Amino acid sequence: PAYNGDRYIVQAVESALSQTFTDLEIIVVDDGSTDGTHQVLHPYLDRIRYIYQENQGAAAARNRACELAQGEFLAFLDADDYFLPSKLEKQLACFDVDPALDMVQTGWFIVNKKGQNISAVKPWEQAPKLDLESFILYKCVRPSAMMLRRKWWEKLGGFDSQFPPTEDLDFALRLALKGGKAAWLEEILTCYRQHN
């Protein structure tokens, strides 16, 4: 999902294109941007799918991308965040090791507007099990750190636009309540940008 993200979205797209796992599709849903988001993405239009829609919020933009996605797994990346190169490969390996897994989440670096590390977030140190109790107590969910089986997005009816900016936590809570199995990949593989 992108909304007025022209300062950062190229780094996000480049981080997806430079993954060690290469059998992927990249879908950018521009949620009504009024800045140069479309222009900065123009050089990538042969390698990404770009959709423009009227502004409806991040949940609706994520859902639109999920509707269009063809893969068995979904990974999310906000326009101002970025992946480290082996994120997708390592998350997919977790699903291979445990076919009962429904969602895998990594740790993340909090970075500033220049992409410099502020701190490392390792939520498994507080919440070793990624379950309903952990989601309630620690709210330890970050879309850009998440990967899930597409069937769970379908089963849960997607992200709920009623709860911005916590539609990600709502989604994780519903997944846990319905019996979805989530686990940590105890490695920092995502960068989450914190703004002033």
Side-chain angles (χ1 to χ4, degrees), residues 105 108 123 127 130 132-142 166 168-169 173 184:
Q105 188 167 261
W108 55 90
L130 195 53
L132 181 62
E133 182 179 354
S134 293
F135 287 133
I136 291 170
L137 291 176
Y138 302 107
K139 298 170 183 57
C140 50
V141 63
R142 181 76 56 215
T166 59
D168 51 353
L169 178 58
L173 290 169
W184 291 115

Coordinates of all heavy atoms in Angstrom, one line a residue, residues 105 108 123 127 130 132-142 166 168-169 173 184:
Q105 N 6.4 -14.4 11.3 CA 6.8 -13.0 11.4 C 8.2 -12.9 11.9 O 8.7 -13.7 12.7 CB 5.8 -12.3 12.4 CG 6.0 -10.8 12.5 CD 4.9 -10.1 13.2 OE1 4.0 -9.5 12.6 NE2 5.0 -10.1 14.5
W108 N 12.3 -6.7 13.5 CA 12.5 -5.6 12.6 C 13.5 -4.5 13.2 O 13.6 -4.4 14.5 CB 11.2 -4.9 12.2 CG 10.3 -4.5 13.3 CD1 10.3 -3.3 14.0 CD2 9.3 -5.3 14.0 NE1 9.3 -3.3 14.9 CE2 8.7 -4.5 15.0 CE3 8.8 -6.6 13.8 CZ2 7.7 -4.9 15.8 CZ3 7.8 -7.0 14.6 CH2 7.2 -6.2 15.6
P123 N 10.7 -9.1 19.2 CA 9.5 -9.3 20.1 C 9.5 -10.6 20.8 O 8.8 -10.8 21.8 CB 8.3 -9.1 19.2 CG 8.8 -8.4 18.0 CD 10.3 -8.8 17.9
A127 N 7.7 -12.1 24.1 CA 6.6 -13.0 23.8 C 7.1 -14.2 23.0 O 7.1 -14.2 21.7 CB 5.6 -12.2 23.0
L130 N 4.1 -16.9 19.6 CA 3.3 -16.0 18.8 C 1.9 -16.5 18.7 O 1.5 -17.2 17.8 CB 3.9 -15.8 17.4 CG 3.4 -14.6 16.6 CD1 3.5 -13.3 17.4 CD2 4.1 -14.5 15.3
L132 N -2.5 -15.9 20.6 CA -3.5 -15.0 20.9 C -3.1 -14.1 22.2 O -3.2 -12.9 22.2 CB -4.8 -15.7 21.2 CG -6.0 -14.7 21.5 CD1 -6.3 -13.8 20.4 CD2 -7.3 -15.6 21.8
E133 N -2.6 -14.8 23.2 CA -2.2 -14.1 24.4 C -1.1 -13.1 24.1 O -1.2 -11.9 24.6 CB -1.7 -15.1 25.4 CG -1.3 -14.5 26.8 CD -0.8 -15.5 27.8 OE1 -0.9 -16.7 27.5 OE2 -0.3 -15.0 28.8
S134 N -0.1 -13.4 23.3 CA 1.0 -12.5 23.0 C 0.5 -11.3 22.1 O 0.9 -10.2 22.4 CB 2.1 -13.2 22.2 OG 2.7 -14.2 23.0
F135 N -0.4 -11.6 21.2 CA -1.0 -10.5 20.4 C -1.7 -9.5 21.3 O -1.7 -8.3 21.1 CB -1.9 -11.0 19.3 CG -1.2 -11.7 18.2 CD1 -1.6 -12.9 17.7 CD2 -0.1 -11.1 17.5 CE1 -1.0 -13.6 16.6 CE2 0.5 -11.7 16.5 CZ 0.1 -13.0 16.0
I136 N -2.5 -10.1 22.3 CA -3.3 -9.2 23.2 C -2.4 -8.4 24.1 O -2.5 -7.2 24.2 CB -4.3 -10.0 24.0 CG1 -5.4 -10.5 23.0 CG2 -4.9 -9.2 25.1 CD1 -6.3 -11.5 23.7
L137 N -1.4 -9.1 24.7 CA -0.6 -8.4 25.7 C 0.5 -7.5 25.1 O 0.7 -6.4 25.6 CB 0.1 -9.5 26.6 CG -0.7 -10.3 27.5 CD1 0.1 -11.3 28.2 CD2 -1.4 -9.4 28.5
Y138 N 1.1 -7.9 24.0 CA 2.2 -7.2 23.5 C 2.0 -6.5 22.1 O 2.8 -5.7 21.7 CB 3.4 -8.1 23.4 CG 3.8 -8.8 24.7 CD1 3.5 -10.1 24.9 CD2 4.4 -8.0 25.7 CE1 3.8 -10.7 26.1 CE2 4.7 -8.6 26.9 CZ 4.4 -9.9 27.1 OH 4.7 -10.5 28.3
K139 N 0.9 -6.8 21.5 CA 0.5 -6.2 20.2 C 1.7 -6.3 19.2 O 2.1 -5.4 18.5 CB 0.1 -4.7 20.4 CG -1.1 -4.6 21.3 CD -1.4 -3.2 21.7 CE -2.6 -3.0 22.6 NZ -2.5 -3.8 23.8
C140 N 2.3 -7.5 19.2 CA 3.6 -7.7 18.5 C 3.3 -8.1 17.1 O 3.5 -9.3 16.7 CB 4.4 -8.7 19.2 SG 3.5 -10.2 19.7
V141 N 2.8 -7.2 16.3 CA 2.5 -7.5 14.9 C 3.0 -6.3 14.1 O 2.8 -5.1 14.5 CB 1.0 -7.8 14.7 CG1 0.1 -6.6 15.0 CG2 0.8 -8.3 13.3
R142 N 3.6 -6.6 12.9 CA 4.0 -5.5 12.0 C 3.8 -6.1 10.6 O 4.4 -7.1 10.2 CB 5.5 -5.3 12.3 CG 6.2 -4.2 11.5 CD 5.8 -2.8 11.9 NE 6.1 -2.5 13.2 CZ 5.3 -1.7 14.0 NH1 4.3 -1.1 13.4 NH2 5.6 -1.4 15.2
T166 N -4.9 0.1 13.3 CA -4.6 -1.2 14.0 C -5.2 -2.4 13.3 O -5.5 -3.4 13.9 CB -5.0 -1.2 15.5 OG1 -6.4 -0.9 15.5 CG2 -4.3 -0.2 16.3
D168 N -3.9 -4.3 11.3 CA -3.0 -5.5 11.3 C -3.1 -6.3 12.6 O -3.1 -7.5 12.6 CB -1.5 -5.0 11.2 CG -1.1 -3.8 12.1 OD1 -2.0 -3.3 12.9 OD2 0.0 -3.5 12.2
L169 N -3.3 -5.6 13.8 CA -3.5 -6.3 15.0 C -4.8 -7.0 15.0 O -4.9 -8.2 15.4 CB -3.4 -5.3 16.2 CG -3.7 -6.0 17.6 CD1 -2.7 -7.1 17.9 CD2 -3.6 -4.9 18.7
L173 N -5.3 -11.0 15.6 CA -6.2 -11.5 16.6 C -7.2 -12.5 16.0 O -7.5 -13.6 16.6 CB -6.9 -10.4 17.3 CG -6.0 -9.5 18.2 CD1 -6.8 -8.3 18.6 CD2 -5.5 -10.3 19.4
W184 N 7.4 -17.2 15.2 CA 8.5 -16.2 15.0 C 9.6 -16.9 14.1 O 9.9 -18.1 14.3 CB 9.2 -15.8 16.3 CG 8.4 -15.0 17.2 CD1 7.9 -15.3 18.4 CD2 7.9 -13.6 16.9 NE1 7.2 -14.2 19.0 CE2 7.2 -13.2 18.1 CE3 8.1 -12.7 15.9 CZ2 6.6 -11.9 18.1 CZ3 7.5 -11.5 15.9 CH2 6.8 -11.1 17.1

